[in-house]
Amino acid sequence: MIRRRHVLPSVSLAEISPEVAKLSRRRLLRNGLSLGSLALLTGCDLSTHSGIDAALWAMLRFDDRVQSALYNPQRLAETYPASAITRPFRFNAYYPIWEVRPVPENWRLAVTGLVADKTPWTVDRSPGRGSPMVA
Amino acid sequence: MDQIQAGHRSAHPLPIRIMHWIGAAAVICMFLSGWAIYNASPSLPFTFPWGLTLGGWLAGGIAWHISVMWVLFADGLAYLAYGTISGHFWRDLRPTGPRILLRDLGDTLRFRLPHRLGHYNAVQRLLYTAVILCICMAVLTGLSIWKPVQLAWLARLFGGYPIARNIHLAMMFCIIAFLAVHLLLVAIYPRTLVSMIASTKAEEER
C-alpha cells in the first residue's frame, strides 16, 4: 500500500476484502440477472439510441434547466465531522468493486488553467481529497 | 338494490381517471428505478433483485428516477388542484369521525363492505388520504435528497439528508403496503377497475 500521512476518507484493502470476496462469488449470478433485466427493458441503459433514451434525454435536459434555475453559488454544502465517514466507504463506481486498482506509486494529476499552483498533484499532496484506491 | 344509478354523477370523472393512470404508471417507474438507486448504496441490510429494477445500473436508474419524477410532480399537483377545486377531496375523502371509522373497519375486516361506485366508506377515505399524504411526503423528501445543498432548508426540515433518505424509503414501503390492499380489493371487486377506466355512473348511496 501507499504510505500516507493524514488522508481522511481512505480505505484499505483489508477493510473491503470481505465485501470483495462476497461480491466475487455473486458475480456470475448478478451479471446474469442484470443482463436479463436489460433484455427485458431494452433501451434503459442510456447507451442505445431508442425512443425511450431520446425521451429520457429530453427529460434530463429539462432537469438540467431546473437545476440551473435552483442553483445559487452562495449556498454551501453541509459539512460533517470525520467521525461521520462510513468505513469502508460505500462503493458505487461504474466498475465493480473487484476491479478496483490501487493507485500506482507514480500517480500524478496535472493541474493547468487559471490556478496559482500548477505543481502536479500526487497522492501525498492531496490530503482529504481522495483515496489511494481511486483507479 | 345497490345497483340503482344516482343521477348522472360519474363514479370517477374523466380528469380523475386520466390522472390516476398517469400517477400509477409514474409511481411504478419510481419504485423500479428507485430500487436501482437504493441498490448502489443500500442503507438497510438488503438489496432489491436486479431483475425488478429499472435503468440497468446506477446512472440509468437515476436518469429514469429524475425523469419520471417530473411526471409524478406535475400529475400530483394537477390532482391536488383538481381535488380541491372540484370538491372531490371534501365530498369523498373528508374524515368521517372515529365512530363510523370503527364500524366500517369492523365491516372491512369481515369482508362485509359493499363497494358502491362513487362513494367512499370511512376506511377508503382514511387509506386514500394516507396514500396521498405518503406520495406528497415521498416527493418532498425526494426533492430534499435530490438537491440537498440548494434545498438545504427542506433537508433540514426532515432532520438532515440521511434521515430524509430513510423517510423517502419508508414512504415507498407505505405506498407498497397501500398498493397491496388496493390491488387485493380491486381483484375482489373487479367493477371498480372498470369504473376507473370507462365512464361509469355513481351508484346510489344507501
Side-chain angles (χ1 to χ4, degrees), chain B residues 26-146:
Chain B
V27 165
I28 298 296
C29 282
M30 292 306 269
F31 282 152
L32 305 182
S33 56
W35 296 344
I37 298 170
Y38 169 88
N39 280 357
S41 178
S43 54
L44 295 173
F46 65 87
T47 54
F48 295 95
W50 277 101
L52 283 181
T53 64
L54 184 58
W57 61 303
L58 175 60
I62 291 175
W64 273 93
H65 210 65
I66 63 175
S67 296
V68 178
M69 155 176 105
W70 295 115
V71 177
L72 183 64
F73 192 70
D75 187 70
L77 277 187
Y79 176 71
L80 292 178
Y82 179 88
T84 308
I85 294 164
S86 71
H88 164 60
F89 288 159
W90 179 250
R91 186 184 63 242
D92 298 327
L93 301 185
R94 189 182 59 219
T96 51
R99 206 174 48 82
I100 300 176
L101 177 65
L102 284 176
R103 183 200 69 193
D104 285 358
L105 194 62
D107 284 350
T108 308
L109 294 176
R110 278 169 284 173
F111 285 97
R112 267 207 250 136
L113 270 189
H115 258 68
R116 285 185 298 282
L117 295 182
H119 300 284
Y120 292 74
N121 65 51
V123 176
Q124 286 174 301
R125 285 166 191 261
L126 182 71
L127 283 183
Y128 287 127
T129 305
V131 79
I132 290 166
L133 292 177
C134 283
I135 293 173
C136 290
M137 194 66 172
V139 169
L140 290 175
T141 51
L143 287 172
S144 81
I145 59 179
W146 171 59

Side-chain angles (χ1 to χ4, degrees), chain A residues 26 30 33-34 36-38 40-41 43-46 52-53 55-57 59-60 62-63 66-67 70-73 75-78 80 90-94, chain B residues 40-43 47 49-64 66-71 146-147 149-153 160-162 165:
Chain A
R26 291 184 187 164
R30 264 172 58 117
L33 282 173
S34 52
S37 63
L38 278 181
L40 281 171
L41 301 159
C44 297
D45 59 352
L46 290 179
I52 292 174
D53 270 4
L56 281 183
W57 280 118
M59 289 304 285
L60 292 176
F62 169 74
D63 196 77
V66 178
Q67 292 192 78
L70 277 175
Y71 182 70
N72 174 355
R75 292 194 198 105
L76 298 176
E78 194 184 338
Y80 295 90
R90 295 217 172 97
F91 179 86
N92 59 8
Y94 65 90
Chain B
S41 178
S43 54
T47 54
W50 277 101
L52 283 181
T53 64
L54 184 58
W57 61 303
L58 175 60
I62 291 175
W64 273 93
I66 63 175
S67 296
V68 178
M69 155 176 105
W70 295 115
V71 177
W146 171 59
K147 295 281 115 188
V149 177
Q150 301 304 324
L151 301 178
W153 58 272
Y161 182 95
R165 190 190 167 199

